[in-house]
Amino acid sequence: MSKTRKVVMRNDAGRIWTEEQETPVPKQGQLLIEVHASMVSPGTELGGMKRRREKPGDATKQRSFGYTNAGVVIGKEGDCDEFAIGDRVAGMGGSYALHATYACVPHNLCAKVPGNVKYEEAASIHLAATALHAVQRGRIRIGENVVVAGLGIVGQFACQIAKTAGAYVVGLDRLPLRIGIAENAGIDLAINVAETDPIPIAKEFTNGYGMDCGIIAFGGDATSAFQQIRAMLKLAPDTHRYGRIVIVGGANITHGFAAGLGNVDVISAARTGPGYHDEDYEHGADYPPVFVPFPTQRNLELALRLMSEGKINVGALITDIVPIDKAAEACEKLIQTPNEALGVIFTMQ
């Protein structure tokens, strides 16, 4: 193991670079992972970079970033007995699963990677588990009709997982690249809402029934998407809409409730499920399975199993694989030309 590691950094003025730092030592309940690959989240990690550059903050305020990676366990501290040195693992968590050649990650935020899943695929684990939790929160069942607004990485995964649950899925976005990726990954129908009104199409797609559930998988102002999804939901004879809308992106929505919304369940899906940001859980404590059947680590394990079984197709989402030394250039592509990249992977070797 090297005494130093490469880490991708950013500052409040919007600059991104790679630098050398001292390799950390794992704390109690953590694994030391030699990282092979990490995935960038275009929304969560890079969504505000243009605004920072337009109104630059303090350039001296800098930090490492990244929250989803995969590699090999080369060290551990404390009670992490379910993992052994040499295990292939995927790890998640802000300030833990960094874009770095080495990372210390709490063991309950890690899961073993099946032999037929590549590191580049497993590195998406945080984003895949976030989408999985959103589908679980939406109570999506076989035969239902589901619309996903926002075909970024989480939205793409939500489409695939909803299909695995037995639903028929429509995806909405404004970027042709993302529409094409969803189609290649097997979505039932992808609509470019910059060109086409999806509301009449939804009625035809569902044979007149209307959508059962919608998922909003992007941040920022989502009021128009919320209104659009509401109009696509089932309509009762009393003129009220029925169904569920799950919000997994960091969306801001202004809308009336009660008679203004109808009998629609609005559901928030926070991150990867119970446990994330509970330090006791992350480092070893568990929740009673009878009350919490799908905490974060179980969602990580299930997401990797779905990848192994071919039910989640990460490869369809990956557009760029670059070495960590080229991280800044790859991030610029996501920031400046979002129709040219989606799933960007940093490799460490």
Side-chain angles (χ1 to χ4, degrees):
M1 182 186 74
S2 173
K3 293 182 179 180
T4 62
R5 65 175 180 173
K6 293 180 180 180
V7 187
V8 182
M9 304 287 293
R10 67 183 180 193
N11 66 18
D12 284 359
R15 179 175 169 247
I16 299 171
W17 70 97
T18 302
E19 72 176 33
E20 292 269 346
Q21 294 181 354
E22 183 178 348
T23 299
V25 175
K27 299 177 181 178
Q28 286 288 322
Q30 292 185 351
L31 306 177
L32 175 60
I33 299 172
E34 181 180 58
V35 180
H36 285 235
S38 66
M39 177 176 268
V40 185
S41 170
T44 304
E45 295 185 77
L46 303 178
M49 294 302 284
K50 280 189 175 181
R51 291 191 301 273
R52 289 192 184 97
R53 292 169 182 180
E54 291 167 358
K55 296 182 178 180
D58 185 351
T60 65
K61 290 184 178 179
Q62 57 189 49
R63 67 193 68 84
S64 55
F65 68 106
Y67 59 67
T68 181
N69 64 26
V72 177
V73 177
I74 62 169
K76 58 181 184 174
E77 188 65 37
D79 184 10
C80 308
D81 291 345
E82 73 271 37
F83 295 100
I85 303 299
D87 280 348
R88 302 171 74 242
V89 296
M92 60 154 279
S95 80
Y96 296 126
L98 302 172
H99 303 303
T101 49
Y102 296 95
C104 293
V105 184
H107 70 107
N108 272 1
L109 298 185
C110 295
K112 295 181 183 179
V113 177
N116 65 337
V117 176
K118 300 175 182 177
Y119 289 118
E120 293 82 1
E121 298 166 337
S124 68
I125 189 62
H126 191 140
L127 298 160
T130 298
L132 173 61
H133 181 57
V135 172
Q136 291 167 333
R137 291 280 291 154
R139 306 185 299 275
I140 293 170
R141 298 175 297 179
I142 188 168
E144 288 195 319
N145 296 295
V146 175
V147 55
V148 178
L151 297 177
I153 297 174
V154 170
Q156 297 277 354
F157 281 139
C159 292
Q160 294 185 24
I161 295 167
K163 280 187 63 66
T164 293
Y168 298 96
V169 183
V170 174
L172 311 178
D173 206 282
R174 294 177 175 273
L175 295 177
L177 173 72
R178 298 182 178 191
I179 296 291
I181 287 172
E183 290 172 341
N184 290 338
I187 195 171
D188 294 298
L189 179 64
I191 302 172
N192 188 329
V193 293
E195 302 172 350
T196 306
D197 180 0
I199 296 173
I201 296 176
K203 186 174 183 180
E204 180 182 356
F205 179 85
T206 63
N207 292 321
Y209 288 110
M211 290 288 173
D212 297 284
C213 182
I215 297 175
I216 296 177
F218 64 92
D221 185 2
T223 298
S224 61
F226 187 88
Q227 293 171 336
Q228 208 166 49
I229 290 175
R230 177 188 175 277
M232 298 166 75
L233 294 175
K234 296 175 290 187
L235 181 64
D238 62 8
T239 75
H240 295 133
R241 296 284 174 181
Y242 280 78
R244 289 111 47 208
I245 301 177
V246 181
I247 302 164
V248 63
N252 301 308
I253 297 165
T254 301
H255 201 283
F257 280 78
L261 180 62
N263 292 300
V264 176
D265 296 332
V266 181
I267 304 162
S268 176
R271 302 185 173 101
T272 52
Y276 182 34
H277 288 310
D278 174 351
E279 287 198 17
D280 289 338
Y281 172 85
E282 292 175 349
H283 290 84
D286 203 357
Y287 296 155
V290 66
F291 297 119
V292 187
F294 285 96
T296 282
Q297 190 177 53
R298 188 174 178 191
N299 279 342
L300 301 180
E301 293 168 346
L302 178 54
L304 288 165
R305 179 177 179 177
L306 294 174
M307 293 179 198
S308 176
E309 294 173 348
K311 295 171 182 174
I312 291 180
N313 180 356
V314 184
L317 278 58
I318 296 174
T319 57
D320 298 77
I321 299 177
V322 301
I324 190 171
D325 291 329
K326 300 291 185 182
E329 293 91 327
C331 288
E332 284 304 308
K333 190 174 181 181
L334 286 169
I335 296 166
Q336 303 296 343
T337 54
N339 194 46
E340 294 180 9
L342 180 60
V344 172
I345 298 290
F346 299 148
T347 59
M348 311 301 164
Q349 304 303 317

